[in-house]
Amino acid sequence: MDKLSQLPSFFNEGDESSARKDIDAILFDVDGVLIDTRLSYNLAIKKTVKHVLAIVSSVEPIQSVSDSILLRMRRTGGFNNDTDTTYALILTSLVSQSTSAKELESLLFDITNKIDAGGIISVERYLSTLFSRTAIEKIKHELSYPGPVGESLVTTVFDEVFYGADLFKQRYGICPQYYFGDALINNERVVINRRTTRFLSKRFDDRIGVVSGRSKLAFEYSLREVLSTFNREACIFLEDEPRKNAKPNPYGIRKAMKRMLTKHAIYVGDSVEDIIMVGKAKEEMGLDVEFIGIYGSSPKPMETRKALEQNGAELVLRSVNNLPNIL
């Protein structure tokens, strides 16, 4: 069962703190919360790894990377950006000269036990203890990462795979160069249902926002049927922002809350990085914001639930559609 039998203190009624804890807004992550992205972003990572390795290396490209490894990387708190995950996988494969998925996975399993919320910096740092730092810097330079679409091979291939030709051209004004297959964004499934959106609209009026690592274009494309639910001024899309504002920087939460003139908000997310971001919003910015974790759209739901609970989530739900039951 979800953790519903003992609701956290910010839901309690009738005590002295409940007047201060008057929840007047709600913010959502998108991927893994409002949308099931298991067949879009995860598959985009795997396809991009395969394509880039085929382009830059004479070694037979690795066919796949397991969902378990992707999940372990996200649990470190430093891989909310899936192009970072993709780069880390490619870098590890090239510098180690791994020639099989099994060999690469073994090394990555070890790496995920050593890295932290520093993300790709922590991966590069740990790899430099195992392999030549010069080789790492050479690969990083050849991949031009991190860099924008059109400059970095990793970023360019990833977005071509995810958006497909039409949306990629709409977003960047250029045609794809490396991938011409189906758009993986079309594999996404909207999780949030009409009952939940009606309830949220009644409960919070126009104080329903988003702080997401995806772009505005991807948000509007995938959630086009429920867009009216959200206060568009309070939807912050970190892919469209400078890299320094990415999660777990609480920039997005502060901006959304300021635009809604809210005093106390809930943030609904699905990752350790989301928990870290909410913690920073409280501790560094003094914002009154609570966290609710969602685990049902994870490749490994029960493992994600456990990770959310262990990292401080006071309330963990299987689905965003459980929110009406507890609000």
Side-chain angles (χ1 to χ4, degrees), residues 73-285:
M73 294 182 74
R74 289 181 180 127
R75 283 184 195 156
T76 66
F79 286 97
N80 187 265
N81 184 327
D82 286 335
T83 55
D84 280 357
T85 306
T86 306
Y87 163 73
L89 295 171
I90 294 168
L91 174 65
T92 302
S93 178
L94 290 174
V95 75
S96 67
Q97 299 185 341
S98 297
T99 57
S100 72
K102 184 176 181 181
E103 188 178 67
L104 177 61
E105 187 141 341
S106 177
L107 175 57
L108 288 168
F109 187 89
D110 181 54
I111 289 174
T112 56
N113 288 325
K114 306 293 183 181
I115 60 177
D116 54 31
I120 59 173
I121 293 174
S122 67
V123 170
E124 292 170 352
R125 183 172 59 242
Y126 180 66
L127 286 175
S128 68
T129 69
L130 304 176
F131 307 101
S132 164
R133 182 70 195 182
T134 301
I136 293 170
E137 290 297 329
K138 181 181 178 181
I139 294 167
K140 184 177 181 180
H141 176 73
E142 289 176 349
L143 296 175
S144 299
Y145 197 84
V149 166
E151 178 181 315
S152 168
L153 180 63
V154 176
T155 310
T156 303
V157 173
F158 185 94
D159 276 13
E160 287 181 2
V161 169
F162 177 71
Y163 286 107
D166 292 341
L167 281 179
F168 182 85
K169 186 174 183 180
Q170 181 179 333
R171 177 157 170 71
Y172 296 108
I174 57 176
C175 293
Q177 303 176 59
Y178 305 102
Y179 178 82
F180 305 95
D182 295 336
L184 296 191
I185 192 172
N186 289 328
N187 291 349
E188 295 183 336
R189 180 178 66 85
V190 176
V191 175
I192 191 167
N193 61 34
R194 291 289 186 182
R195 171 179 174 268
T196 301
T197 57
R198 285 195 298 268
F199 172 85
L200 292 172
S201 296
K202 184 177 180 180
R203 172 68 173 78
F204 295 105
D205 194 20
D206 67 340
R207 290 181 173 179
I208 305 170
V210 162
V211 178
S212 171
R214 72 167 40 203
S215 68
K216 179 181 179 181
L217 174 64
F219 170 77
E220 292 178 344
Y221 182 82
S222 294
L223 285 166
R224 51 192 177 275
E225 294 182 2
V226 294
L227 285 181
S228 61
T229 304
F230 302 94
N231 179 336
R232 304 297 284 283
E233 292 298 313
C235 291
I236 313 301
F237 305 106
L238 299 172
E239 185 177 316
D240 301 333
E241 297 275 352
R243 186 177 176 85
K244 66 180 181 179
N245 294 333
K247 296 178 183 181
N249 188 329
Y251 158 88
I253 289 181
R254 178 178 62 181
K255 188 173 182 179
M257 290 183 68
K258 183 177 181 180
R259 287 185 172 181
M260 291 190 292
L261 301 176
T262 179
K263 295 181 179 179
H264 181 209
I266 294 171
Y267 183 80
V268 185
D270 72 325
S271 70
V272 172
E273 198 158 26
D274 291 333
I275 296 175
I276 295 172
M277 176 177 66
V278 169
K280 286 177 175 287
K282 291 180 178 181
E283 296 163 13
E284 298 177 7
M285 296 181 171

Side-chain angles (χ1 to χ4, degrees), residues 2-5 7 11 193 195-196 199-200 203 292 315 317-327:
D2 295 330
K3 294 170 66 177
L4 295 175
S5 58
L7 292 179
F11 284 112
N193 61 34
R195 171 179 174 268
T196 301
F199 172 85
L200 292 172
R203 172 68 173 78
I292 293 178
L315 186 63
L317 305 174
R318 177 176 290 276
S319 170
V320 67
N321 296 314
N322 295 135
L323 284 172
N325 298 332
I326 58 104
L327 288 175

